[in-house]
Amino acid sequence: MTLYLIIDKNRTLKFALSSASTKHNLKPKKRIEGLVRIALPDDFFEKRQRANAPKEKREEAVVRHKVFKEVEVQPSIQCKEG
């Protein structure tokens, strides 16, 4: 049920754990959370968080990412020139 709520209904992990635990009378929420994190890819929550970010924040992140890429490339260019 927890995976269904997270994946199909786009609910938060906390909400899904709480709902499933209450409905099925399962007390160790931490155990369920561990199993859910094993079942889902490592970057599942990060991707969802980025996708749900406001458009302005995503654009800022793209600009920041480009700047970091340029900074990473510059030392390699300087080494080749020197």
Side-chain angles (χ1 to χ4, degrees):
M1 181 177 177
T2 304
L3 287 173
Y4 165 75
L5 289 171
I6 292 171
I7 296 170
D8 290 343
K9 297 298 181 181
N10 291 322
R11 297 294 186 166
T12 63
L13 176 63
K14 185 176 180 179
F15 176 84
L17 287 171
S18 179
S19 295
S21 175
T22 302
K23 182 169 179 137
H24 296 289
N25 199 21
L26 299 171
K27 294 299 176 191
K29 289 182 188 178
K30 195 70 173 171
R31 173 91 170 116
I32 300 168
E33 181 180 352
L35 294 172
V36 166
R37 290 191 183 273
I38 289 170
L40 295 174
D42 294 336
D43 60 347
F44 176 82
F45 294 105
E46 293 171 11
K47 285 182 180 177
R48 183 192 283 187
Q49 186 176 12
R50 273 187 260 129
N52 291 336
K55 186 177 180 181
E56 298 83 29
K57 293 289 183 184
R58 284 183 282 175
E59 290 170 352
E60 289 175 17
V62 168
V63 170
R64 213 174 315 124
H65 183 69
K66 285 180 183 177
V67 170
F68 287 140
K69 279 288 193 188
E70 290 173 5
V71 171
E72 288 176 355
V73 171
Q74 285 177 353
S76 64
I77 291 172
Q78 290 174 353
C79 290
K80 289 178 185 177
E81 291 175 356

